[in-house]
Amino acid sequence: MATTQLTASSISGNGFASFEGLRSTCIVKAASFAPLKHNNSRSFSRLVVKAATTVAPKYTTLKPLGDRVLVKIKTAEEKTVGGILLPVTAQSKPNGGEVVAVGEGHSAGKIKVDISVKTGAQVIYSKYAGTEVEFDGSKHLILKEDDIVGILETDDVKDLQPLNDRVLIKVAEAEEKTAGGLLLTEAAKEKPSIGSIIAVGPGPLDEEGNRKPLSVSPGNTVLYSKYAGSEFKGADGSDYITLRVSDVMAVLS
């Protein structure tokens, strides 16, 4: 293993990118250095982008199988409530849509269980779930029923009806002051992982196809895992989060 000591503020070489702003001595250990491949256009290695699968127009029906659901993706808002056009970078990527087809369900033990959402339902789903497809001129998503967070028939997340073992929590407001009474800036406020349960799902299915009630109820103040769930902003400006009940660590009282 070779050891190279870098002390200059700018290092460049044939086949190497320039490194600017080294202010202190750094020790870099490497078995070998290989020149970066480049051409006159200074292009980098080919970046592979996963695109949606396009279904040819000759196919007019797409039927999900098993416990899968086909959702027509809701398009992103192009304007603010006041009518101001939003640039593409400011348009929030939607993670909701309308159920347009469902599979035949799945088995729980010896019991066949139907899909719990029906066609026409407006649903919210996990951010990175499913496979995107271009079908019938619109973007759709094929995903498992368990990736659907809940049913939302209004434009306000506080009305979300969680599915299966998920819960909807209204996040507690961040502390405005330190224990010593100092006011905190927005950047310094620690995001809380405490909130009040607004709604709960019907519970997971057991081996006999029966729902097992959740261990928490609406109105409970709970402590939950900090990096779990999907976050939303309510119409009232409050923060909400949906997560599985297994990510709720304790009930506070």
Side-chain angles (χ1 to χ4, degrees), residues 23-125:
R23 293 292 181 263
S24 60
T25 299
C26 303
I27 302 299
V28 178
K29 294 183 178 181
S32 63
F33 287 98
L36 297 175
K37 294 182 179 179
H38 66 284
N39 52 30
N40 293 333
S41 62
R42 300 182 62 84
S43 62
F44 294 94
S45 297
R46 183 176 299 173
L47 179 64
V48 178
V49 179
K50 186 178 180 181
T53 300
T54 301
V55 178
K58 67 179 180 179
Y59 300 107
T60 58
T61 302
L62 198 161
K63 172 66 175 176
L65 298 179
D67 60 346
R68 290 180 174 83
V69 175
L70 179 66
V71 175
K72 184 178 181 180
I73 299 175
K74 183 179 179 181
T75 56
E77 294 293 337
E78 295 184 354
K79 295 181 179 181
T80 64
V81 177
I84 300 174
L85 283 172
L86 292 171
V88 174
T89 54
Q91 295 173 15
S92 58
K93 183 179 179 180
N95 60 335
E98 179 184 352
V99 175
V100 294
V102 299
E104 63 273 17
H106 65 283
S107 298
K110 297 181 180 180
I111 306 298
K112 184 179 181 299
V113 181
D114 293 331
I115 301 290
S116 60
V117 293
K118 307 299 181 184
T119 56
Q122 300 293 323
V123 297
I124 299 294
Y125 48 81

Side-chain angles (χ1 to χ4, degrees), residues 126-137:
S126 298
K127 190 172 184 180
Y128 301 107
T131 299
E132 191 171 302
V133 295
E134 290 274 359
F135 174 67
D136 195 24

Side-chain angles (χ1 to χ4, degrees), residues 78-190:
E78 295 184 354
K79 295 181 179 181
T80 64
V81 177
I84 300 174
L85 283 172
L86 292 171
V88 174
T89 54
Q91 295 173 15
S92 58
K93 183 179 179 180
N95 60 335
E98 179 184 352
V99 175
V100 294
V102 299
E104 63 273 17
H106 65 283
S107 298
K110 297 181 180 180
I111 306 298
K112 184 179 181 299
V113 181
D114 293 331
I115 301 290
S116 60
V117 293
K118 307 299 181 184
T119 56
Q122 300 293 323
V123 297
I124 299 294
Y125 48 81
S126 298
K127 190 172 184 180
Y128 301 107
T131 299
E132 191 171 302
V133 295
E134 290 274 359
F135 174 67
D136 195 24
S138 301
K139 289 185 178 180
H140 291 71
L141 197 69
I142 298 178
L143 67 163
K144 287 183 174 291
E145 179 193 13
D146 192 51
D147 288 324
I148 296 178
V149 173
I151 298 173
L152 182 61
E153 300 292 352
T154 72
D155 292 329
D156 196 345
V157 70
K158 71 178 179 59
D159 299 322
L160 181 73
Q161 303 170 32
L163 295 181
N164 300 318
D165 61 341
R166 288 184 171 87
V167 298
L168 173 66
I169 296 174
K170 183 177 182 180
V171 179
E173 294 185 4
E175 293 293 335
E176 298 285 340
K177 297 181 179 180
T178 65
L182 296 176
L183 286 172
L184 293 171
T185 63
E186 288 296 325
K189 291 178 184 178
E190 182 178 358

